[in-house]
Amino acid sequence: MSTILQAKDVCKYFRGLKAVDGVSMEVQKGEIFGIIGPNGAGKTTFFNVCSGVYEATAGQVFLDGEEITGRPPEEIARKGMARTFQNIQLFKYMTVLENVKIGNHIHSKTNMFDAIFHTGRYKQDEKEALERAEAVIEKVGIAEYRDVMAGTLSYGSQRKVEIARALALEPKILLLDEPAAGMNPNETQELSDFIKRINAEGYTIVVIEHDMKFIMNLCHRILVINFGKRICEGTPDEVRSNRQVHEAYFGKGTLGGVHVDKEHEAVREEASEDAED
C-alpha cells in the first residue's frame, strides 16, 4: 500500500492554547484509519487542519504526495478529499437525491451565463450530476429514499445521506467526524457495517470517534490523541494494550485502593471482551 494522507508535525495554536501540538500521521490507501481520544483532545481541530478549515500554525499536510498545507477547503476537495462534520449538515427541506446531487458541484463546468440561459453546457452538467447522484444513492443503499425530504429520515439514515453526498465528490479519501454520535446501538452497528462495505469498494476512510469499542471493531490502524499530542498509533490490539491510552481514558495512580497496574489489566480484559462482542 502507498500513503494517501500524511501529516508531519502538525500544530494548531489558538493564542495560548495548543489544540494540536506536533501530531504526525500516515494513512495508507485502502484502509480504515481511526483517530480517537477523550473529549477535547484535539481530534476535530486536527481534522480541520488536514481538510483546510483551519490553517496550520506549523507542520505540513500531504494528499497523495502533494502538499496541501494552507490550501482552502474547496481546493482540497477538488484534489480528492471529502468529509462530514460532527453535526449533520443536510438541506432538510430538499430530497435525498437533491442533497446528494449538490455533492457534484465541484465537477461542474457551468458558469453564471450558462445557468441563467440554460445553455447546452448547463444541461449536460445537470444530466451528469443527476446520473452520478443516482449511482451513489444506489451504491450506498438509500435509493428507496430518493424522493424523500432528508429532514424526515431517521438519524442513522441522515448520516448515510451525508456520507453519500461526500462520496458524490468522487474522493480519494473520506473523512468522517464522529459519525456515530447520537446513534443508538443498532444504528451504530449498521453504520459500522456500512463503512466496512464502502471501504471494501475501494474507499480510503478516516474516522474520528471517542467511542473506543466502535473504533476497535472497525479500523485497521488507530491514532490516539490526548491534550493535542499524539500518544499512540498502531493496530487495535496495540492500542488496546497501551498504558498511555488507558491513562488518557481512565486516569492513573491508585483508584479505590487498586494500583494502576491492576486497573490497567482490568481495563485490558474489559476492552478485549468488548472487541469480541
Side-chain angles (χ1 to χ4, degrees), residues 26 59 84 91 107 112 124 154 182-183 212 245 252 260-261:
E26 286 193 17
T84 64
F91 296 98
H107 301 294
M112 186 177 294
Q124 182 62 29
S154 68
M183 289 189 177
M212 186 178 288
V245 175
K252 59 184 178 180
V260 69
D261 289 342

Side-chain angles (χ1 to χ4, degrees), residues 60-253:
Q60 297 171 290
V61 181
F62 297 85
L63 177 61
D64 209 10
E66 179 182 358
E67 185 169 6
I68 57 171
T69 315
R71 304 270 181 95
E74 60 272 18
E75 183 178 341
I76 293 175
R78 289 192 185 95
K79 291 182 180 298
M81 182 187 294
R83 67 165 294 181
T84 64
F85 294 82
Q86 286 184 16
N87 298 319
I88 294 177
Q89 297 185 6
L90 295 177
F91 296 98
K92 295 184 178 181
Y93 298 105
M94 296 172 65
T95 67
V96 167
L97 182 64
E98 289 167 338
N99 268 276
V100 176
K101 185 180 170 185
I102 287 171
N104 288 284
H105 74 280
I106 65 169
H107 301 294
S108 176
K109 303 178 183 66
T110 298
N111 57 33
M112 186 177 294
F113 177 87
D114 296 320
I116 293 173
F117 294 101
H118 285 205
T119 64
R121 180 162 55 183
Y122 169 84
K123 292 176 181 177
Q124 182 62 29
D125 270 355
E126 285 293 296
K127 179 176 179 293
E128 291 176 358
L130 180 61
E131 289 173 351
R132 280 195 292 262
E134 294 271 15
V136 169
I137 64 174
E138 186 69 38
K139 178 187 293 187
V140 171
I142 54 175
E144 62 183 299
Y145 304 125
R146 179 186 188 279
D147 299 315
V148 176
M149 293 293 179
T152 66
L153 297 176
S154 68
Y155 193 86
S157 294
Q158 287 189 40
R159 279 290 184 195
K160 287 184 179 180
V161 175
E162 189 176 43
I163 294 172
R165 186 173 61 189
L167 293 178
L169 274 68
E170 300 178 353
K172 297 176 182 177
I173 186 168
L174 176 63
L175 279 55
L176 306 178
D177 191 353
E178 298 204 13
M183 289 189 177
N184 62 43
N186 288 337
E187 288 175 329
T188 300
Q189 184 58 53
E190 287 180 5
L191 176 66
S192 178
D193 294 341
F194 170 66
I195 293 173
K196 289 177 181 177
R197 179 162 59 82
I198 60 176
N199 172 249
E201 293 175 0
Y203 290 100
T204 302
I205 301 168
V206 183
V207 186
I208 283 181
E209 262 298 338
H210 63 265
D211 184 334
M212 186 178 288
K213 181 176 179 179
F214 176 80
I215 287 289
M216 290 290 178
N217 290 327
L218 176 66
C219 298
H220 301 118
R221 292 188 305 119
I222 301 166
L223 167 68
V224 188
I225 298 175
N226 192 32
F227 294 115
K229 291 182 177 290
R230 164 184 163 146
I231 62 173
C232 174
E233 181 182 324
T235 66
D237 284 341
E238 289 169 340
V239 170
R240 186 180 294 118
S241 61
N242 186 281
R243 177 185 297 270
Q244 287 182 292
V245 175
H246 292 301
E247 289 177 355
Y249 274 88
F250 303 105
K252 59 184 178 180

Side-chain angles (χ1 to χ4, degrees), residues 1-70:
M1 291 190 293
S2 59
T3 301
I4 180 70
L5 179 62
Q6 182 180 26
K8 291 184 177 181
D9 299 318
V10 166
C11 300
K12 180 59 184 177
Y13 303 158
F14 297 97
R15 295 186 178 180
L17 174 65
K18 296 182 178 180
V20 178
D21 191 12
V23 175
S24 296
M25 168 187 78
E26 286 193 17
V27 179
Q28 306 301 314
K29 289 181 179 178
E31 73 176 342
I32 304 175
F33 188 93
I35 302 176
I36 64 172
N39 287 332
K43 305 183 296 296
T44 294
T45 301
F46 179 60
F47 241 31
N48 285 338
V49 172
C50 290
S51 60
V53 176
Y54 292 157
E55 185 174 348
T57 303
Q60 297 171 290
V61 181
F62 297 85
L63 177 61
D64 209 10
E66 179 182 358
E67 185 169 6
I68 57 171
T69 315

